[in-house]
Amino acid sequence: MNAPAPGAAAVLSGTRTIVAEALTPEAFAPFGDVIEASDAVRHFPINGGNTERYHDLADVDAGPGGRVIISIFRGQPRAMPFPIEMMERHPLGSQAFVPMSGRPYLVVVAPAGDAPSGGDLRVFLARADQGVNYARGVWHHPLLALDGVSDFLVVDRAGDGHNCDEVELDHTVLIAPPR
């Protein structure tokens, strides 16, 4: 049996399999922002022309009573195919991941709102030069490093209130190896 096309899914013995699609700003827009140096974003020279500034790439949202923090997360590589059994969201603020180790990684998301089912998931293959900013309340899987231990600069919220909800999916979704 052939693997489903990128972004498509097939149901096999009660388990859904999904293939990662390319991470583009347009495809990811319902879930947040793609953070990348691209001719498609506003950019201009600074520092006497020695630096190109790619400006205002993500809507960092610390929410009421929060403050923006910067951390480094070190993710262990995941073996493929990888089972997705749970998702999380941050209801009080956004959360951005910027890769620092020069490796691609996977991004699994579902729309903000009620707890997602396995059929709500989308999987993106992020290049090593692309970060993501999950909008407030967007469901996502925790960090999915590929190919080796990987560090990520993480920009998110600290402050009062409970800011991490986790749910188990109604059925397991397998991510097929990226092509």
Side-chain angles (χ1 to χ4, degrees):
M1 176 180 208
N2 292 334
V11 177
L12 305 171
S13 305
T15 299
R16 183 172 178 260
T17 301
I18 191 166
V19 176
E21 58 189 286
L23 179 66
T24 65
E26 299 77 22
F28 196 71
F31 311 105
D33 310 299
V34 173
I35 302 169
E36 65 182 339
S38 159
D39 287 340
V41 300
R42 183 174 172 214
H43 59 101
F44 47 88
I46 61 172
N47 300 94
N50 285 330
T51 302
E52 189 75 8
R53 178 179 176 143
Y54 292 83
H55 185 70
D56 197 13
L57 300 177
D59 182 16
V60 177
D61 178 0
R67 64 183 183 87
V68 175
I69 61 170
I70 297 175
S71 306
I72 293 177
F73 288 15
R74 181 163 289 155
Q76 300 300 311
R78 308 295 181 113
M80 293 291 142
F82 181 77
I84 301 295
E85 299 172 338
M86 62 80 68
M87 297 287 280
E88 68 178 33
R89 70 174 174 188
H90 305 285
L92 302 180
S94 62
Q95 187 178 47
F97 287 78
V98 179
M100 298 171 57
S101 298
R103 294 186 184 92
Y105 62 102
L106 291 174
V107 175
V108 180
V109 290
D114 294 335
S117 71
D120 296 325
L121 304 186
R122 289 191 58 191
V123 179
F124 295 94
L125 177 60
R127 297 185 321 256
D129 65 341
Q130 293 178 304
V132 295
N133 182 51
Y134 300 119
R136 181 193 311 203
V138 164
W139 292 98
H140 60 277
H141 193 276
L143 185 59
L144 291 170
L146 299 172
D147 303 333
V149 175
S150 299
D151 288 348
F152 291 80
L153 184 75
V154 178
V155 180
D156 61 350
R157 177 192 190 278
D160 295 335
H162 175 77
N163 193 32
C164 187
D165 297 330
E166 293 183 356
V167 295
E168 289 188 28
L169 295 177
D170 54 359
H171 62 276
T172 299
V173 176
L174 284 178
I175 301 175
R179 294 182 204 175

